[in-house]
């Protein structure tokens, strides 16, 4: 392996590039976006991201993906130092989202004879986008292109990871698998590979939950195809570090997370329209909320869906969520056809949800709602109306709408399970006593609060404690590693009104603190004025415990308001609910 190439360029917005030989005649060119903002739902951990592009040189030359348009100057400076773009024979498009294909048009201007290689839907999307003739080659699962010098590229279908157009590319010579979004992480560091597994793990998991979890069945299908390959030495991702040191560990995590989701008893379809307004991000936020309740999600892009697939999916699911159709434009007809199929195939009393995409051409939402309701369907959450560029608060409300839908589907089953278990073991567990607390958090424009009782001190130096947070709690998103919050301790004989307030079921996006006296902690989170004590906390690590996250946090500041008062204590009958 050669040393890191000296092509790093710093700009005001902390955009840099780097490159490295990662295999025989194979180079990675990474665009490092250190400060990418968090308006995208999956940028929860504030570690920026990278856009990775790859150059493979046999007798012929292939480029796998490009970069985001914001890297136009930096990317082409780097590329030109490595090769004259006119010498590139193939551009493999793993996925057409603009963070990977944002510079295709510019590249074609420099290399008009190159052949763009991609899935059928990727090529048709690019034809729309570029709006000028270019050479292309549609590839299907198992197709190969021989670049010479042993570099035989084989293509694998990987639909829905993350759009329906996704393909993986496997180089039989270097045993490198190019996977674009899959197995990636929004984790911007100088390290090119996955040496530091511990540092990478929280971002890797969060990214999976946001982008891949809602497509768990597609993940498993793609991994079946990967299992047929003659060995994978490196996974060349589109975001974050490349996987080389922990390939098996990290890919098997995808498999086990996806298997757990794919075996869920209930399933919801989420119909969106890729590259139309904010449909993609909004649908992901809803899907993430649904997934948090243990309900499986099947995403379907209406751009690629055929009527038969839509009908089969509707027959298979307990509920569906759909974007409004655009009134005009290339995908208006397909979306309308899908809507008619859904209306014809939907079952009486099936739950549904509707969202606008803010694509500039959304049809009015109310007639669609009326049509669904008149067909006997039940609205699972108040329809999501988007009147401006979506804020973080809107994405949070979308996620909470998804949680509401998932909880509606699982409510009966959960109550049945709780009632069915009332044995000695469960009664014994119920004898574990605990205090009563309110967690409060603010992150960006988001706020959250939760009544907690599974709280216990866990370390002396530094001072730290753990709290168990159910996976479907809205505040869970605000308690990622590095996040801060306040632990408010409730007072015995004076906790009922705070407890009842925070036990309430809040509608998606509602202000949890309306009518509650608070002041701001040093870390920005609300301190409840009527709490007995408070502690300012920072999340250090998280452990997954089936249906809860066990969150370990260090305490930095704390104070007791009434030194002679005691903490409110919670006693239960059985250990199967709170
Ligand atoms: Fe990284 Fe779905 O684009």
């Amino acid at each position: 392996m050669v040393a890191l190439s000296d092509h790093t360029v710093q700009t005001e917005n902390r955009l840099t590039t780097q490159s490295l030989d990662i295999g025989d005649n194979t180079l990675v060119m990474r665009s490092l976006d250190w400060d990418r903002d968090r308006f995208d739902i999956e940028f929860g951990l504030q570690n920026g991201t990278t856009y990775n592009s790859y150059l493979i040189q046999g007798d012929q030359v292939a480029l796998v993906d490009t970069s985001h348009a914001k890297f136009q100057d930096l990317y082409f400076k780097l590329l030109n130092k490595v090769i004259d773009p006119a010498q590139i024979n193939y551009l493999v498009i793993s996925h057409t989202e603009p963070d990977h294909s944002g510079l295709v048009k510019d590249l074609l201007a420099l290399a008009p004879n190159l052949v763009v290689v991609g899935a059928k839907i990727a090529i048709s999307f690019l034809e729309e986008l570029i709006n000028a003739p270019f050479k292309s080659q549609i590839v299907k699962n198992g197709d190969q292109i021989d670049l010479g010098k042993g570099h035989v590229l084989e293509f694998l279908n990987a639909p829905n990871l993350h759009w329906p157009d996704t393909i993986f590319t496997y180089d039989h010579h270097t045993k490198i698998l190019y996977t674009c979004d899959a197995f990636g992480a929004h984790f911007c560091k100088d390290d090119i590979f996955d040496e530091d597994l511990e540092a990478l793990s929280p971002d890797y998991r969060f990214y999976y939950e946001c982008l891949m979890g809602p497509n768990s069945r597609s993940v498993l299908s793609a991994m079946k195809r990967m299992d047929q390959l003659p060995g994978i030495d490196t996974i060349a991702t589109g975001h974050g570090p490349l996987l080389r040191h922990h390939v098996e560990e990290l890919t098997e995590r995808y498999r086990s997370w996806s298997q757990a989701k794919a075996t869920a008893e209930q399933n919801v379809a989420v119909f969106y329209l890729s590259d139309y307004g904010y449909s993609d991000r909004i649908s992901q936020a809803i899907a993430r909320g649904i997934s948090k309740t243990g309900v499986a999600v099947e995403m379907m892009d209406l751009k690629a869906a055929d009527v038969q697939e839509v009908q089969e999916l509707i027959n298979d699911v307990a509920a569906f969520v759909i974007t409004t159709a655009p009134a005009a434009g290339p995908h208006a007809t397909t979306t309308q056809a899908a809507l008619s199929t859904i209306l014809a195939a939907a079952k009486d009393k099936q739950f549904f949800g509707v969202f606008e995409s803010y694509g500039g051409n959304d049809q009015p939402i109310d007639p669609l709602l009326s049509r669904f309701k008149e067909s006997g369907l039940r609205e699972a959450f108040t329809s999501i109306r988007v009147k401006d560029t979506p804020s973080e608060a809107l994405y949070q409300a979308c996620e909470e709408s998804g949680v509401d839908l998932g909880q509606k589907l699982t409510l009966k089953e959960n109550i049945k399970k709780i009632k069915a278990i009332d044995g000695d073991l469960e009664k014994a567990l119920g004898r574990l006593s605990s205090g009563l607390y309110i967690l409060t958090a603010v992150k960006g424009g988001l706020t959250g609060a939760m009544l907690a009782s599974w709280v216990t001190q866990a370390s002396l130096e530094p001072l730290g404690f753990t709290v168990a947070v159910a996976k479907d709690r809205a505040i869970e998103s605000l308690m990622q590693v590095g996040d801060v919050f306040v632990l408010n301790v409730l007072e015995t004989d004076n906790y009922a009104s705070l407890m009842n307030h925070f036990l309430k079921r809040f509608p998606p996006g509602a202000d949890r603190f309306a009518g509650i006296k608070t002041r701001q902690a040093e870390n920005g989170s609300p301190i409840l004025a009527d709490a007995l004590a408070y502690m300012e906390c920072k999340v250090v690590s998280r452990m997954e415990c089936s249906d809860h996250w066990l969150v370990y946090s260090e305490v930095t500041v704390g104070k007791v308001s009434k030194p002679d008062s005691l903490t409110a204590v919670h006693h239960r009958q059985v250990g199967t609910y709170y």
Side-chain angles (χ1 to χ4, degrees):
M1 189 182 298
V2 300
L4 186 68
S5 308
D6 182 24
H7 297 323
T8 300
V9 184
Q10 183 86 36
T11 72
E12 280 180 356
N13 298 319
R14 291 214 302 160
L15 303 180
T16 65
T17 55
Q18 61 177 182
S19 65
L20 182 74
D21 287 338
I22 58 164
D24 190 23
N25 290 315
T26 305
L27 185 83
V28 61
M29 292 176 288
R30 300 210 316 157
S31 304
L32 287 80
D33 193 347
W34 296 89
D35 303 313
R36 173 134 185 190
D37 66 41
R38 294 179 45 253
F39 275 102
D40 289 348
I41 182 95
E42 73 271 25
F43 286 83
L45 297 186
Q46 297 173 284
N47 283 327
T49 196
T50 74
Y51 317 102
N52 304 335
S53 167
Y54 300 91
L55 192 72
I56 307 164
Q57 294 181 271
D59 297 321
Q60 293 189 300
V61 179
L63 188 67
V64 179
D65 298 320
T66 61
S67 184
H68 194 287
K70 68 167 85 168
F71 279 88
Q72 187 189 37
D73 286 347
L74 294 177
Y75 180 81
F76 283 109
K77 264 183 202 159
L78 180 57
L79 184 65
N80 272 301
K81 284 184 184 172
V82 179
I83 194 169
D84 171 4
Q87 290 180 12
I88 298 171
N89 304 93
Y90 296 101
L91 169 63
V92 178
I93 296 291
S94 305
H95 160 41
T96 49
E97 198 168 8
D99 46 346
H100 309 285
S101 61
L103 298 175
V104 173
K105 205 170 178 174
D106 306 76
L107 184 66
L108 282 170
L110 299 169
N113 287 319
L114 74 69
V115 178
V116 179
V117 177
K120 189 175 176 197
I121 184 168
I123 298 298
S124 65
F125 174 69
L126 284 176
E127 283 168 351
E128 247 174 59
L129 183 81
I130 291 168
N131 202 19
F134 61 87
K135 292 181 188 167
S136 66
Q137 181 173 340
I138 291 170
V139 286
K140 299 189 296 298
N141 197 57
D143 285 356
Q144 295 187 343
I145 291 177
D146 188 350
L147 298 177
K149 297 196 172 122
H151 293 281
V152 176
L153 304 185
E154 180 173 335
F155 303 98
L156 286 74
N157 279 350
N160 305 322
L161 308 181
H162 140 236
W163 279 357
D165 56 5
T166 306
I167 54 169
F168 293 170
T169 304
Y170 179 71
D171 185 338
H172 281 264
H173 182 51
T174 56
K175 294 190 165 30
I176 296 175
L177 179 69
Y178 301 88
T179 59
C180 200
D181 281 344
F183 308 107
H186 291 309
F187 190 72
C188 184
K189 297 277 182 296
D190 282 323
D191 295 346
I192 287 185
F193 293 104
D194 56 339
E195 284 100 342
D196 193 344
L197 184 61
E198 197 181 333
L200 173 63
S201 288
D203 289 83
Y204 186 77
R205 174 66 207 246
F206 191 63
Y207 177 101
Y208 169 88
E209 281 298 324
C210 294
L211 283 186
M212 300 295 150
N215 294 297
S216 52
R217 292 178 192 193
S218 302
V219 170
L220 293 172
S221 303
M223 291 191 74
K224 257 191 204 165
R225 294 187 190 108
M226 286 166 57
D227 292 341
Q228 306 305 313
L229 296 172
I232 299 170
D233 284 354
T234 303
I235 291 194
T237 58
H239 296 292
L242 286 64
L243 313 189
R244 176 164 283 179
H245 303 283
H246 304 282
V247 172
E248 190 172 348
E249 162 75 29
L250 290 167
T251 51
E252 285 311 307
R253 286 186 194 179
Y254 259 47
R255 201 188 305 270
S256 64
W257 294 334
S258 299
Q259 279 167 343
K261 287 179 187 294
T263 52
E265 285 170 15
Q266 306 219 55
N267 198 6
V268 175
V270 177
F271 296 100
Y272 69 105
L273 199 54
S274 60
D275 201 47
Y276 176 68
Y278 296 88
S279 182
D280 186 50
R281 298 280 179 237
I282 292 169
S283 60
Q284 278 171 32
I286 298 169
R288 180 170 146 74
I290 297 168
S291 297
K292 284 172 91 169
T293 65
V295 170
V297 180
E298 288 264 337
M299 306 284 289
M300 186 173 275
D301 186 352
L302 293 169
K303 192 192 275 183
D306 71 39
V307 166
Q308 179 79 15
E309 285 175 331
V310 172
Q311 189 163 0
E312 282 170 13
L313 187 53
I314 285 292
N315 286 336
D316 188 43
V317 295
F320 65 89
V321 178
I322 188 166
T323 179
T324 48
H331 305 297
T333 318
T334 355
T335 316
Q336 285 295 352
L339 270 174
S340 304
T341 307
I342 289 166
L343 274 164
K347 291 159 273 200
D348 192 36
K349 295 199 170 48
Q350 199 167 20
F351 279 115
F352 76 95
V354 180
F355 65 96
E356 289 177 332
S357 295
Y358 200 54
N361 226 341
D362 291 359
Q363 285 197 8
I365 206 163
D366 291 313
L368 181 64
L369 280 175
S370 303
R371 284 173 74 190
F372 283 148
K373 286 179 186 169
E374 283 160 13
S375 301
L377 305 177
R378 290 184 291 171
E379 194 175 11
F381 54 78
T382 305
S383 51
I384 296 165
R385 296 167 195 253
V386 190
K387 301 297 168 214
D388 206 342
T389 303
S391 61
E392 289 192 57
L394 184 111
Y395 286 126
Q396 187 187 30
C398 292
E399 186 177 313
E400 289 171 13
S401 299
V403 169
D404 274 8
L405 168 54
Q407 287 177 340
K408 279 193 169 79
L409 295 177
T410 53
L411 185 66
K412 268 191 196 161
E413 195 53 35
N414 287 345
I415 290 174
K416 211 159 72 183
K417 277 183 194 160
I418 286 168
K419 285 187 175 166
I421 304 169
D422 195 14
D424 287 342
L425 168 62
E426 291 75 22
K427 285 176 182 164
L429 195 65
R431 290 302 182 269
L432 294 179
S433 61
S434 47
L436 281 172
Y437 311 88
I438 309 280
L439 306 177
T440 51
V442 170
K443 184 172 169 183
L446 310 178
T447 57
M450 182 190 101
L451 180 71
S453 59
W454 295 359
V455 176
T456 188
Q457 187 163 349
S459 62
L460 292 170
E461 183 54 50
L463 289 170
F465 70 95
T466 60
V467 52
V469 181
K471 285 183 173 174
D472 60 359
R473 296 297 182 144
I475 200 172
E476 184 273 330
S477 307
L478 310 184
M479 296 180 69
Q480 303 294 325
V481 173
D483 286 345
V484 295
F485 66 96
V486 161
L487 177 70
N488 298 274
V489 182
L490 298 189
E491 183 187 1
T492 190
D493 301 329
N494 185 28
Y495 64 87
S497 95
L498 280 175
M499 184 180 82
N500 291 336
H501 176 84
F502 287 103
L503 264 181
K504 265 193 319 223
R505 203 178 169 83
F506 292 95
D511 176 6
R512 268 78 174 154
F513 299 103
I516 298 291
K517 276 187 284 179
T518 63
R519 60 194 168 85
Q520 197 178 45
E522 286 174 26
N523 69 15
S525 301
I527 297 169
L528 303 180
D530 292 333
L532 167 63
Y534 78 90
M535 283 154 268
E536 299 199 23
C537 319
K538 183 171 185 182
V539 179
V540 174
S541 60
R542 290 161 48 109
M543 185 169 102
E544 192 165 7
C545 304
S546 170
D547 41 19
H548 284 66
W549 285 103
L550 190 64
V551 180
Y552 169 69
S553 307
E554 288 177 11
V555 180
T556 50
V557 178
K559 198 169 179 188
V560 179
S561 61
K562 296 183 193 169
D564 297 329
S565 287
L566 295 174
T567 303
V569 178
H570 182 43
H571 295 288
R572 298 177 301 160
Q573 294 302 310
V574 289
T576 48
Y577 56 92
Y578 300 110

Coordinates of all heavy atoms in Angstrom, one line a residue, residues 95 97 99-100 162-163 180-181 186 207 211 239, ligand 1:
H95 N -25.6 4.2 -7.8 CA -26.9 4.8 -7.2 C -26.9 6.2 -7.6 O -25.9 6.9 -7.6 CB -26.8 4.5 -5.7 CG -27.7 5.4 -4.8 ND1 -29.0 5.6 -5.1 CD2 -27.4 5.9 -3.6 CE1 -29.5 6.3 -4.1 NE2 -28.6 6.5 -3.2
E97 N -28.4 9.0 -6.4 CA -28.6 10.1 -5.5 C -27.5 11.1 -5.7 O -26.3 10.7 -5.9 CB -28.7 9.6 -4.1 CG -29.4 10.7 -3.2 CD -29.8 10.3 -1.8 OE1 -29.4 9.2 -1.4 OE2 -30.4 11.1 -1.1
D99 N -25.5 12.8 -4.1 CA -24.2 12.8 -3.3 C -23.2 11.9 -4.0 O -22.0 12.0 -3.7 CB -24.4 12.4 -1.8 CG -25.3 11.2 -1.6 OD1 -26.0 10.8 -2.6 OD2 -25.2 10.7 -0.5
H100 N -23.6 11.0 -4.9 CA -22.6 10.1 -5.6 C -22.6 10.5 -7.1 O -21.6 10.2 -7.8 CB -23.0 8.7 -5.4 CG -23.3 8.3 -4.0 ND1 -22.2 8.1 -3.1 CD2 -24.4 8.1 -3.3 CE1 -22.7 7.8 -1.9 NE2 -24.0 7.9 -2.0
H162 N -29.7 2.4 -1.5 CA -30.8 3.0 -0.8 C -32.0 3.3 -1.7 O -33.1 3.5 -1.2 CB -30.2 4.1 0.0 CG -30.9 5.4 0.2 ND1 -30.4 6.6 -0.1 CD2 -32.1 5.6 0.8 CE1 -31.2 7.5 0.3 NE2 -32.3 7.0 0.8
W163 N -31.8 3.5 -3.0 CA -32.9 3.7 -3.9 C -33.0 2.4 -4.8 O -32.1 1.6 -4.7 CB -32.6 4.9 -4.8 CG -32.9 6.2 -4.2 CD1 -33.4 6.5 -3.0 CD2 -32.6 7.5 -4.8 NE1 -33.5 7.8 -2.7 CE2 -33.1 8.5 -3.8 CE3 -32.1 8.0 -6.0 CZ2 -33.0 9.9 -4.1 CZ3 -32.1 9.3 -6.2 CH2 -32.5 10.3 -5.3
C180 N -21.5 1.4 -2.4 CA -22.1 2.7 -2.3 C -22.7 2.9 -0.9 O -22.0 2.9 0.1 CB -23.2 2.9 -3.4 SG -23.5 4.7 -3.6
D181 N -24.0 3.2 -0.7 CA -24.6 3.5 0.6 C -24.5 2.3 1.6 O -24.3 2.6 2.8 CB -26.1 3.9 0.5 CG -26.3 5.3 0.0 OD1 -25.3 6.1 0.0 OD2 -27.4 5.6 -0.4
H186 N -21.9 7.8 8.2 CA -21.6 9.2 8.1 C -20.6 9.5 9.2 O -21.0 9.9 10.3 CB -22.9 10.1 8.2 CG -23.8 9.9 7.0 ND1 -23.3 10.0 5.7 CD2 -25.1 9.6 6.9 CE1 -24.3 9.8 4.9 NE2 -25.4 9.5 5.6
Y207 N -26.6 4.8 11.2 CA -26.8 4.9 9.8 C -27.6 3.7 9.3 O -28.5 3.9 8.4 CB -25.4 4.9 9.2 CG -25.3 4.9 7.7 CD1 -25.0 6.1 7.0 CD2 -25.4 3.7 6.9 CE1 -24.8 6.1 5.6 CE2 -25.2 3.7 5.5 CZ -25.0 4.9 4.9 OH -24.8 5.0 3.5
L211 N -31.1 4.4 7.3 CA -31.1 4.2 5.8 C -31.4 2.7 5.4 O -32.1 2.5 4.4 CB -29.8 4.5 5.2 CG -29.5 6.0 5.0 CD1 -28.2 6.2 4.2 CD2 -30.6 6.7 4.3
H239 N -19.8 6.1 1.7 CA -19.7 7.1 2.8 C -18.9 6.5 3.9 O -19.0 5.3 4.3 CB -21.1 7.4 3.4 CG -22.1 8.0 2.4 ND1 -21.9 9.3 2.0 CD2 -23.2 7.5 1.9 CE1 -22.9 9.6 1.2 NE2 -23.7 8.5 1.1
Ligands
LIG1 FE1 -25.4 8.3 -0.3 FE2 -28.4 7.4 -1.1 O1 -27.0 8.4 -1.3

